[in-house]
Amino acid sequence: MHPAFSVIFFTVASGAGFGLFSLLFIADTFKLGGGFERDQLVAGGLIAMALVVFGLLSSTFHLANPKNAWRAFSRFRTSWLSREGVFAMIFMPLALIYLASIMFDAPLWLREISGFLTAVLAWITVFSTGMIYACLKTIRQWNTPLVPANYLALGYASGSLLLLLGAVISGLDTMPYIAMSALIVAIAAVLKAIYYFWIRDPGLSPTINTATGLTRAKVKLLDTGHTHGTFLTQEFGYRLARKKAGLIKTLVFVIGFGLPGLMLIAVFNGESGQFAALAAALGGLIGAAMERWLFFAEARHVVNLYHGAQRC
Amino acid sequence: MRLGLVIDLDVCVGCHACAIACKEWNASGTIGPLSDYQPYGAEPSGVWFNRIRHFEMDEYPNNKTVNFPMSCNHCEDADCVTVCPTGASYKRAEDGIVLVDQDKCMGCNYCSWACPYGARELDRSSGTMKKCTLCVDRIYDQNLPVEERQPSCVLTCPAHARMFGDFDDPDSAVSRVVRERGGYGLMPELNYNPTNQYLPPRRKPVIEMSGAPKGGLKESIKQFANRLVRR
């Protein structure tokens, strides 16, 4: 698949935003590390919402006809893309109610209920983002439950690292935030490793034989029938050398999971905590962006069987 | 009604006439125009609803070239329709034709990701997704003579490799030929239930090839020379 920059930015930014917001609610409810001040909570919540909004706006840049984008909310019952938009739109007012109830000292029940609902909707929205890809039977590398699991784990991992940065800047006790980040980043790393292991094996996937129905002999493509590239080759023809993919996978683990892990130790030891927390958050986000790029670049659509691939 | 095409792989000569006729009709049809990019430039490209690929099955001396026209299969379980967030893609209840409402499409490409057959192509000038309409603006046209109320590709095929009809009617010409010739849909393992059916190449009698060389002085000199020459 052709890796579109707008979609990569959208999924990484909105994932981190949704993750940050729900973890902020947890940090607020349990007063982790002494608890954030009122203004700090509101600032954190607004940063999370900004990440989500900029992500959603960026996602409209890959539309060829954005004037019809408002119609994308209409097929909620069947389309995961529509569901994602609808859930994100329900998230927004709930998140504002939660932040307002913090700001204006609303009764605790309102604050807790709106915060909980916001956190649940954040989870559902990131799950829907993953399901956009996981529901496609045409791309073997995507059609697995590991995809929404990866989207959730990576979104929450980068969100937890951003929250840790906030805790360090606010001068809270960082211990609970370090523990939370370490746990979520470790889960994200393990899930991603399982995913990379899983997609190595083609398994039961379509071949050039089932694509043409000529199943009794070897089949090979003689001619694609077009002079130059088509929409199909431009959208689905992207190919990535195995070596390069291996290098990027290594980088994902070193920068996206290893570096934040090391920086967590630095924050724990109290050595230039702010710098370490910033490096951890940036590493997490850059790692997630590389992971997302690879997620698209490695996906092989079955239409490639009609353009020369023997199996997908 | 379940309208669709039958494509006879045994008869198709790979002339691309169906693709040209399709482009000609649909460029001015309900879903037109079908934009071309750099048609006379170095990298000609554009929107087509019908594309013909050429495959070779088996290996020499048993090989055979199979010309393979492909357009929308108007699947019964069309994922392109279910994934569409705007409702622009729809499948007509009355005849099973899958269409894209050009006024609703936002050009997100998601339906083309869901289609395993590469039937959908984005028109970069209108920003909307386009696909085979089964010539819906032709097959119901009361002003045309009855025999011309068929998709353009079917009418134009010089080899009669394409047929159009109703698969719900077990006695229609398409249903009968699929039954008799063992017609099949593509990539059945994905469970899209494509309506269009392909008829496999017939088994041809094997043509005897001359076996052992004839022998004699001329032949042995030739073989001797062949061994000497380094190729």
Side-chain angles (χ1 to χ4, degrees):
Chain A
M1 289 289 293
H2 165 70
F5 177 75
S6 60
V7 178
I8 294 171
F9 177 80
F10 156 59
T11 53
V12 171
S14 71
F18 286 121
L20 175 60
F21 204 102
S22 15
L23 295 175
L24 197 73
F25 163 69
I26 290 175
D28 176 36
T29 303
F30 298 104
K31 300 282 175 280
L32 293 184
F36 283 102
E37 301 278 323
R38 175 204 287 172
D39 293 349
Q40 293 163 345
L41 278 174
V42 174
L46 288 179
I47 290 172
M49 288 180 75
L51 282 170
V52 172
V53 169
F54 281 119
L56 286 172
L57 284 180
S58 140
S59 75
T60 59
F61 288 134
H62 92 285
L63 301 180
N65 194 20
K67 74 174 191 307
N68 277 342
W70 62 274
R71 291 184 186 272
F73 302 111
S74 70
R75 285 301 180 269
F76 175 79
R77 286 172 57 206
T78 52
S79 168
W80 281 105
L81 184 52
S82 189
R83 281 173 203 166
E84 183 208 34
V86 170
F87 287 132
M89 284 304 127
I90 306 175
F91 166 88
M92 290 294 170
L94 280 171
L96 283 176
I97 292 173
Y98 174 62
L99 291 183
S101 61
I102 293 171
M103 188 94 159
F104 303 111
D105 282 325
L108 193 64
W109 63 266
L110 179 64
R111 179 164 163 172
E112 288 300 311
I113 288 178
S114 60
F116 177 73
L117 288 177
T118 316
V120 169
L121 267 160
W123 191 94
I124 294 176
T125 312
V126 181
F127 175 75
S128 305
T129 310
M131 281 308 291
I132 289 175
Y133 307 99
C135 74
L136 295 174
K137 287 185 281 190
T138 46
I139 299 170
R140 175 181 63 82
Q141 288 86 351
W142 290 359
N143 193 12
T144 148
L146 283 168
V147 168
N150 280 155
Y151 269 76
L152 280 164
L154 272 161
Y156 280 75
S158 36
S160 74
L161 291 169
L162 286 171
L163 188 65
L164 173 69
L165 178 61
V168 171
I169 292 172
S170 310
L172 299 184
D173 174 16
T174 50
M175 195 51 223
Y177 295 95
I178 293 175
M180 188 160 75
S181 292
L183 183 66
I184 301 178
V185 172
I187 291 173
V190 168
L191 283 176
K192 201 66 225 179
I194 298 175
Y195 171 81
Y196 285 140
F197 172 77
W198 198 257
I199 63 166
R200 281 192 334 174
D201 180 12
L204 283 171
S205 57
T207 65
I208 195 170
N209 300 96
T210 62
T212 55
L214 309 170
T215 50
R216 294 187 176 190
K218 268 191 189 169
V219 174
K220 71 173 187 219
L221 180 78
L222 289 181
D223 192 272
T224 53
H226 53 253
T227 319
H228 192 254
T230 68
F231 167 76
L232 300 172
T233 60
Q234 287 154 12
E235 185 77 0
F236 305 115
Y238 192 89
R239 297 203 72 170
L240 185 65
R242 197 176 292 237
K243 253 188 190 166
K244 199 174 162 197
L247 177 70
I248 297 171
K249 276 175 198 167
T250 315
L251 284 176
V252 167
F253 276 89
V254 171
I255 298 175
F257 303 125
L259 178 72
L262 280 178
M263 291 298 122
L264 287 181
I265 297 172
V267 176
F268 178 69
N269 292 334
E271 303 154 2
S272 53
Q274 291 207 1
F275 171 76
L278 182 66
L282 283 180
L285 286 173
I286 294 170
M290 287 193 295
E291 179 274 333
R292 213 45 50 84
W293 186 87
L294 196 62
F295 175 74
F296 285 97
E298 269 200 314
R300 294 280 284 153
H301 194 281
V302 291
V303 80
N304 285 300
L305 296 171
Y306 300 111
H307 295 130
Q310 282 289 319
R311 69 177 310 153
C312 271
Chain B
M1 255 199 321
R2 192 156 61 90
L3 298 181
L5 301 172
V6 168
I7 290 152
D8 192 342
L9 297 177
D10 193 59
V11 174
C12 177
V13 293
C15 67
H16 294 238
C18 53
I20 305 291
C22 165
K23 181 108 174 170
E24 192 275 334
W25 176 263
N26 285 295
S28 52
T30 50
I31 206 167
L34 277 63
S35 304
D36 281 324
Y37 324 119
Q38 300 190 32
Y40 305 104
E43 298 176 349
S45 181
V47 183
W48 294 75
F49 296 165
N50 193 358
R51 290 188 182 274
I52 293 90
R53 283 118 189 174
H54 307 272
F55 292 93
E56 182 179 60
M57 59 187 277
D58 217 339
E59 286 173 335
Y60 180 82
N62 303 310
N63 53 342
K64 176 175 170 53
T65 301
V66 181
N67 305 300
F68 214 94
M70 286 185 72
S71 53
C72 175
N73 282 290
H74 299 280
C75 303
E76 286 227 64
D77 297 303
D79 268 15
C80 54
V81 173
T82 46
V83 303
C84 176
T86 63
S89 284
Y90 62 103
K91 185 170 173 68
R92 291 169 29 131
E94 63 269 36
D95 52 17
I97 299 180
V98 177
L99 293 173
V100 183
D101 186 337
Q102 299 293 304
D103 293 333
K104 288 184 182 169
C105 177
M106 67 174 186
C108 67
N109 291 354
Y110 195 24
C111 56
S112 72
W113 294 6
C115 174
Y117 308 110
R120 290 168 168 259
E121 300 195 10
L122 184 81
D123 186 329
R124 295 190 195 278
S125 29
S126 68
T128 50
M129 198 52 75
K130 297 190 173 173
K131 65 175 288 300
C132 160
T133 63
L134 212 61
C135 285
V136 70
D137 41 11
R138 175 171 192 125
I139 54 179
Y140 294 114
D141 191 342
Q142 302 290 325
N143 295 324
L144 290 174
V146 179
E147 64 275 15
E148 279 185 30
R149 290 179 205 163
Q150 296 196 61
S152 229
C153 54
V154 174
L155 281 176
T156 209
C157 180
H160 295 291
R162 304 175 75 93
M163 275 163 275
F164 165 72
D166 176 15
F167 287 90
D168 266 353
D169 174 6
D171 287 326
S172 68
V174 285
S175 298
R176 212 175 295 146
V177 76
V178 164
R179 221 164 32 234
E180 284 163 8
R181 296 268 312 274
Y184 59 85
L186 305 180
M187 271 192 269
E189 68 273 31
L190 292 184
N191 296 327
Y192 281 65
N193 278 323
T195 301
N196 287 7
Q197 300 288 306
Y198 286 78
L199 305 180
R202 289 187 178 91
R203 292 181 185 206
K204 298 272 164 46
V206 180
I207 298 166
E208 284 300 320
M209 317 256 282
S210 54
K214 277 180 288 182
L217 184 62
K218 198 176 158 195
E219 191 59 34
S220 48
I221 292 171
K222 220 181 194 173
Q223 283 184 14
F224 176 68
N226 274 342
R227 278 201 297 275
L228 286 184
V229 177
R230 209 187 162 92
R231 283 180 248 251

